[in-house]
Amino acid sequence: MAKALEISEHTFSRWRNQYGGMKADDAKELRRLRDENGRLKRMVADQALDIETLKEVARGNF
């Protein structure tokens, strides 16, 4: 199967272990949740940067 997909046996085995028992809808939901999680992490990082910038400006260190 891995040769037909042109991927390594290791990659195929890892994929099968992670997603083997999932239905297509479950895999789509997992992908959607991972995308949303990444978006939320970026938002938190941006907010933390804004807070640090505002703290520096308030101290007069700009």
Side-chain angles (χ1 to χ4, degrees):
M1 181 62 116
K3 284 187 180 185
L5 296 171
E6 298 181 1
I7 59 174
S8 71
E9 287 290 332
H10 175 72
T11 298
F12 181 72
S13 177
R14 189 170 33 111
W15 177 84
R16 188 180 53 216
N17 288 339
Q18 187 171 3
Y19 301 107
M22 284 189 184
K23 294 185 169 111
D25 290 341
D26 294 337
K28 287 178 186 177
E29 178 69 5
L30 178 60
R31 174 64 182 206
R32 187 188 68 74
L33 291 171
R34 284 184 175 172
D35 290 345
E36 182 180 4
N37 191 36
R39 184 181 60 81
L40 293 171
K41 284 182 178 183
R42 284 188 299 277
M43 285 175 57
V44 168
D46 287 344
Q47 288 177 344
L49 184 59
D50 290 345
I51 289 168
E52 288 302 314
T53 303
L54 290 172
K55 284 180 181 178
E56 289 295 317
V57 169
R59 285 188 210 116
N61 298 332
F62 53 94

